[in-house]
Amino acid sequence: MTSLYCPVDILAFGAHPDDVELSCAGTLLHAHALGQRTAVVDCTRGEMASRGTAEERDAESAAASTLLGLTARRNLDLGDGRLMDTQEFRDAVAAEIRRFQPRLILCPAPGDRHPDHDAAGRLVQAAAFYARMKTRVLRDAETGEPLAAHSPGLVLVYPMHELERPSLVIDISPYWPQKMEIVRTYRSQFLNPMPDDYTFIGTRDYLHAIEARGMFYGNMIQTAYGEPFVARSPLRIADLLNDLAGGKAGL
Ligand SMILES: [Zn+2]
């Protein structure tokens, strides 16, 4: 093992530096509280956003990483607004999967209305295949060292703008205040005044929308707040009673 590697339990990908916080902050806080190692890889620096410079967003992202208790965070800087599902980008993402050797990967759900979110979801799902192929040589971009193949145990996608029926919902009720504190770390995105003609992200209502979404998914599992995930393949369960029946699912 060399310093090329940084093994973690959970690796969460986002297209932009606030995607993971908006969608998975409670899940990552819960994992951290359980002693699990977590990391985030952002595909772009969000430099094409309506507000906030790339430098501001780097600083916000660093502050959020500390509050999340991440082991590491990296940014691939693949170009905000230009993220595409290409071979070159698939390899860049697959190299990160090999670097972090996660047991579980989280990524945006393909099909989101934002093209970068859609592309990030497709890239990560394809990269998870490439990461495990021993015949596929992937090198660290800085050193040129080859990275050993790694097979993640599971990839879950997280819905963003689109509503999807989740395969599972994580109860994040105890972490809700922390999640919103972390979201507010992105001051350039959520707390700056907006032009009168701008009516979506950045308005006060957007923070309310985040709360409403958390309550909507929490209600599905009869709890205050939840974060949804979708499995693209059936989940393998070892113990039906202990793994599922404690959650009151479907009652
Ligand atoms: Zn985004």
Side-chain angles (χ1 to χ4, degrees), residues 165-179:
R165 183 170 179 82
S167 308
L168 56 101
V169 178
I170 306 293
D171 178 6
I172 61 157
S173 307
Y175 305 99
W176 187 259
Q178 276 175 276
K179 169 166 176 162

Side-chain angles (χ1 to χ4, degrees), residues 103-122:
R103 295 164 60 193
L104 168 65
I105 291 174
L106 307 176
C107 68
D112 188 272
R113 73 182 184 90
H114 193 308
D116 285 347
H117 299 167
D118 176 54
R122 294 179 195 284

